Amino acid sequence: MAPVKPRYRRPVLEEMRIRSLGVIDDAVVELSPGFTAVTGETGAGKTMVVTSLGLLLGGRADPALVRIGSKAAVVEGRIVMRPDAPAALRAEEAGAELDDGALLISRTVSAEGRSRAHVGGRSVPVGLLAELAEDLVAVHGQTDQQGLLRPARQRQALDRYAGDAVAVPLEKYAAAHRRLRAVAGELEEITTRARERAQEADLLRFGLDEINAVEPLSGEDTELAAEAERLGHAESLASAAQVAHAALAGNVEDPEGVDAGALVAGAHRALESVRSHDPALGALAERIGELGILLGDVAGELAGYADDLDADPLRLAAVEERRAALTQLTRKYGSAGNGSAQHTVDSVLEWAERGSVRLLELDGDDGRIGELTAERDGLRMELSSLAQALTDARSEAATRFASAVTEELASLAMPHARVTIDIRQTEDPDGVEVGGRLVAYGPSGTDEVELLLAPHPGAQPRPIAKGASGGELSRVMLAVEVVFAGSDPVPTYLFDEVDAGVGGKAAIEVGRRLAKLAKSAQVVVVTHLPQVAAFADRQLLVEKTSDGSVTRSGVTVLEGEDRIRELSRMLAGHEDSASARAHAEELLAAAQGSA
């Protein structure tokens, strides 16, 4: 089967289906690959579109969102993407598959609070949705803007804008930083535990000296135990061997006595004389002959055993003394670390082997401290060089970035605003040297990055959180995203309340910049401004209806006359106002003509 030809160069969220979520009973949200504006009266449920997308992105599931009377709320999304897109590859790792070039995602939230997620026909952890979201959608609402106000997020944004100029040295810096942390941790562990390690080494040396003095052999304790048992009962063993020998081979002091060997020999002779008459009897004769040979062999061994048996009490004393020395070792070292409760010489030898290896490690600490210290100092010098390279690259990118955002703000009715980026370091006597100063350092370098705004001439640049009003902040965030559009890998942007506090000409420019952003990414905007909605490639109306007992909202794609009526309502509050209609037609024509 031929591969499905992708419809878009980047992932595009084509549609969402929302069921039993808040005031929405059942609605299909069809999104444009370009600019989609979501409009409707206050309370109609526009924010449910944002909430639905948040659920698809792995957001928190709130059972209070489930529509009253329903068992569960369900949100389904269809995202068209190439098979080699990062999100597609991650989904494939989880067992999901593309359906006709699209990844199907669903999220179910029950009224009891349970949450389930499916991707590409497979049940997956909700956390996977959040992983996919990182490569698919960037959400910008009031809460998300607060996140962008944090210096750490601003540094990440600047790094992303700078591209390889920062990414390459940052990767090297991060690797060196990780190694430095590991080296410093090991060095601290060795030096702070020097006393304990010295005590451990002394105990190991004492134990190894004790073992070396005895020089135990593998299995020696078992062999000595058997020898001691034999020596301790030598007389009874010799007497038993002699009696057994006499029973088998006869007693020299009683030549007329009967023994087993003589009896067997007599039986063999009796059968030999007649074996030729019956083969069966001949076979028995052979077996008796073999028995006689075996009895003779055993009798000979018994005689040799009795003659060789050592009953020397001096040897027994030596064996017991050796066993006592081995027992002392096994009680101290015989069961340590071998997983067995038995005390044996073999386990003592195992302890000695482990102890020797450990002692080498401990004795090598002094040399290891020197090695680690040299490596630490080298890594700190490397970090200093890489940190300076990062600072230089960020400073160069900051100049370009600030200039581009300032230019965008001029188009957003902030002609006198000026954006700068402050890159600074905090002095730290335990830090690394950058620019002739010792400064604090972390996994991303030594730089603290902060976006500053001077809203009008003569104003001192201040952090955007303090130097911008609500409307200005929304425009600054939009300007930042427009500048990012060429370098940001995220293909879809969702703006909620990005036009808060904006009106008039500024609102038109917000719409124009959103349309510009939509040329390189998919843009979804929840807005109450007709000047913004007029620039959209597609306008969706979230509308509330009621039959007197049940209130529900639906989502409709507005075209032609319907779109003029909605823009008129947004302009004047009355969709049938002649002047509002004329203004709406003029606004729509102007927006579409300049898009």
Tab-separated table of all heavy atoms in Angstrom, residues 448-472:
chain	number	residue	atom	x	y	z
A	448	GLU	N	21.285	34.833	34.046
A	448	GLU	CA	19.896	35.102	34.410
A	448	GLU	C	19.336	36.038	33.340
A	448	GLU	O	19.905	37.091	33.072
A	448	GLU	CB	19.817	35.756	35.786
A	448	GLU	CG	20.369	34.882	36.904
A	448	GLU	CD	20.398	35.617	38.235
A	448	GLU	OE1	19.641	36.593	38.389
A	448	GLU	OE2	21.195	35.241	39.104
A	449	VAL	N	18.247	35.630	32.716
A	449	VAL	CA	17.685	36.369	31.579
A	449	VAL	C	16.335	36.950	31.979
A	449	VAL	O	15.492	36.234	32.535
A	449	VAL	CB	17.531	35.447	30.355
A	449	VAL	CG1	16.851	36.190	29.203
A	449	VAL	CG2	18.887	34.916	29.915
A	450	GLU	N	16.140	38.224	31.696
A	450	GLU	CA	14.863	38.861	32.024
A	450	GLU	C	14.465	39.836	30.920
A	450	GLU	O	15.275	40.646	30.462
A	450	GLU	CB	14.936	39.581	33.360
A	450	GLU	CG	13.570	40.019	33.872
A	450	GLU	CD	13.589	40.350	35.348
A	450	GLU	OE1	14.654	40.755	35.856
A	450	GLU	OE2	12.551	40.210	36.011
A	451	LEU	N	13.212	39.740	30.501
A	451	LEU	CA	12.670	40.611	29.463
A	451	LEU	C	12.191	41.909	30.109
A	451	LEU	O	11.390	41.894	31.053
A	451	LEU	CB	11.497	39.900	28.775
A	451	LEU	CG	11.006	40.444	27.442
A	451	LEU	CD1	12.092	40.341	26.389
A	451	LEU	CD2	9.770	39.673	26.987
A	452	LEU	N	12.693	43.049	29.599
A	452	LEU	CA	12.358	44.364	30.148
A	452	LEU	C	11.567	45.170	29.123
A	452	LEU	O	11.799	45.058	27.918
A	452	LEU	CB	13.629	45.124	30.537
A	452	LEU	CG	14.611	44.411	31.473
A	452	LEU	CD1	15.826	45.310	31.723
A	452	LEU	CD2	13.937	44.030	32.790
A	453	LEU	N	10.660	45.997	29.634
A	453	LEU	CA	9.820	46.817	28.755
A	453	LEU	C	9.831	48.260	29.238
A	453	LEU	O	9.615	48.538	30.420
A	453	LEU	CB	8.382	46.292	28.743
A	453	LEU	CG	7.360	47.164	27.996
A	453	LEU	CD1	7.633	47.139	26.495
A	453	LEU	CD2	5.936	46.696	28.302
A	454	ALA	N	10.097	49.171	28.294
A	454	ALA	CA	9.906	50.613	28.530
A	454	ALA	C	8.732	51.018	27.649
A	454	ALA	O	8.879	51.157	26.431
A	454	ALA	CB	11.158	51.392	28.165
A	455	PRO	N	7.518	51.176	28.197
A	455	PRO	CA	6.317	51.383	27.367
A	455	PRO	C	6.293	52.717	26.621
A	455	PRO	O	5.576	52.856	25.637
A	455	PRO	CB	5.173	51.277	28.369
A	455	PRO	CG	5.782	51.573	29.692
A	455	PRO	CD	7.192	51.094	29.624
A	456	HIS	N	7.067	53.708	27.065
A	456	HIS	CA	7.053	55.005	26.387
A	456	HIS	C	8.406	55.687	26.595
A	456	HIS	O	9.174	55.316	27.513
A	456	HIS	CB	5.905	55.885	26.924
A	456	HIS	CG	5.915	56.024	28.411
A	456	HIS	ND1	6.747	56.873	29.089
A	456	HIS	CD2	5.177	55.371	29.367
A	456	HIS	CE1	6.533	56.769	30.383
A	456	HIS	NE2	5.589	55.863	30.594
A	457	PRO	N	8.733	56.685	25.778
A	457	PRO	CA	10.028	57.359	25.898
A	457	PRO	C	10.207	57.959	27.294
A	457	PRO	O	9.267	58.499	27.878
A	457	PRO	CB	9.965	58.436	24.825
A	457	PRO	CG	8.985	57.931	23.829
A	457	PRO	CD	7.952	57.185	24.630
A	458	GLY	N	11.393	57.845	27.824
A	458	GLY	CA	11.682	58.394	29.140
A	458	GLY	C	11.442	57.417	30.268
A	458	GLY	O	11.921	57.628	31.383
A	459	ALA	N	10.685	56.334	29.991
A	459	ALA	CA	10.409	55.337	31.032
A	459	ALA	C	11.608	54.415	31.191
A	459	ALA	O	12.279	54.054	30.220
A	459	ALA	CB	9.169	54.522	30.681
A	460	GLN	N	11.893	54.071	32.433
A	460	GLN	CA	12.976	53.143	32.691
A	460	GLN	C	12.527	51.716	32.348
A	460	GLN	O	11.411	51.322	32.674
A	460	GLN	CB	13.386	53.201	34.164
A	460	GLN	CG	14.111	54.470	34.550
A	460	GLN	CD	15.450	54.586	33.828
A	460	GLN	OE1	16.165	53.598	33.647
A	460	GLN	NE2	15.784	55.811	33.414
A	461	PRO	N	13.360	50.939	31.665
A	461	PRO	CA	12.989	49.545	31.384
A	461	PRO	C	12.741	48.796	32.686
A	461	PRO	O	13.548	48.862	33.617
A	461	PRO	CB	14.207	48.990	30.635
A	461	PRO	CG	14.903	50.199	30.081
A	461	PRO	CD	14.674	51.289	31.089
A	462	ARG	N	11.624	48.092	32.730
A	462	ARG	CA	11.263	47.311	33.909
A	462	ARG	C	10.842	45.916	33.463
A	462	ARG	O	10.441	45.721	32.307
A	462	ARG	CB	10.105	47.973	34.672
A	462	ARG	CG	10.383	49.396	35.121
A	462	ARG	CD	9.170	49.960	35.832
A	462	ARG	NE	8.871	49.234	37.069
A	462	ARG	CZ	7.718	49.330	37.740
A	462	ARG	NH1	6.745	50.123	37.263
A	462	ARG	NH2	7.538	48.661	38.843
A	463	PRO	N	10.913	44.928	34.356
A	463	PRO	CA	10.424	43.589	33.993
A	463	PRO	C	8.997	43.679	33.480
A	463	PRO	O	8.187	44.445	34.016
A	463	PRO	CB	10.503	42.814	35.317
A	463	PRO	CG	11.580	43.515	36.085
A	463	PRO	CD	11.474	44.965	35.725
A	464	ILE	N	8.687	42.932	32.437
A	464	ILE	CA	7.375	43.079	31.795
A	464	ILE	C	6.236	42.821	32.769
A	464	ILE	O	5.135	43.333	32.589
A	464	ILE	CB	7.253	42.169	30.562
A	464	ILE	CG1	7.509	40.702	30.940
A	464	ILE	CG2	8.193	42.615	29.462
A	464	ILE	CD1	7.273	39.752	29.794
A	465	ALA	N	6.471	42.041	33.809
A	465	ALA	CA	5.412	41.799	34.787
A	465	ALA	C	5.057	43.076	35.538
A	465	ALA	O	3.926	43.240	36.011
A	465	ALA	CB	5.846	40.730	35.779
A	466	LYS	N	6.025	44.016	35.657
A	466	LYS	CA	5.795	45.255	36.397
A	466	LYS	C	5.638	46.458	35.477
A	466	LYS	O	5.044	47.463	35.864
A	466	LYS	CB	6.965	45.509	37.357
A	466	LYS	CG	7.180	44.407	38.373
A	466	LYS	CD	8.408	44.692	39.225
A	466	LYS	CE	8.650	43.579	40.242
A	466	LYS	NZ	9.863	43.826	41.057
A	467	GLY	N	6.176	46.367	34.268
A	467	GLY	CA	6.173	47.523	33.394
A	467	GLY	C	5.072	47.546	32.368
A	467	GLY	O	4.998	48.468	31.557
A	468	ALA	N	4.184	46.524	32.342
A	468	ALA	CA	3.137	46.455	31.328
A	468	ALA	C	1.773	46.296	31.980
A	468	ALA	O	1.620	45.569	32.972
A	468	ALA	CB	3.395	45.285	30.377
A	469	SER	N	0.777	46.979	31.421
A	469	SER	CA	-0.603	46.783	31.850
A	469	SER	C	-1.112	45.469	31.270
A	469	SER	O	-0.416	44.799	30.497
A	469	SER	CB	-1.470	47.935	31.352
A	469	SER	OG	-1.498	47.947	29.927
A	470	GLY	N	-2.355	45.104	31.620
A	470	GLY	CA	-2.907	43.848	31.118
A	470	GLY	C	-2.942	43.789	29.604
A	470	GLY	O	-2.520	42.810	28.987
A	471	GLY	N	-3.434	44.863	28.970
A	471	GLY	CA	-3.498	44.880	27.517
A	471	GLY	C	-2.122	44.902	26.892
A	471	GLY	O	-1.869	44.239	25.879
A	472	GLU	N	-1.202	45.669	27.485
A	472	GLU	CA	0.156	45.732	26.951
A	472	GLU	C	0.844	44.369	27.081
A	472	GLU	O	1.563	43.934	26.178
A	472	GLU	CB	0.958	46.799	27.700
A	472	GLU	CG	0.517	48.228	27.381
A	472	GLU	CD	1.195	49.247	28.272
A	472	GLU	OE1	1.645	48.869	29.377
A	472	GLU	OE2	1.265	50.420	27.875
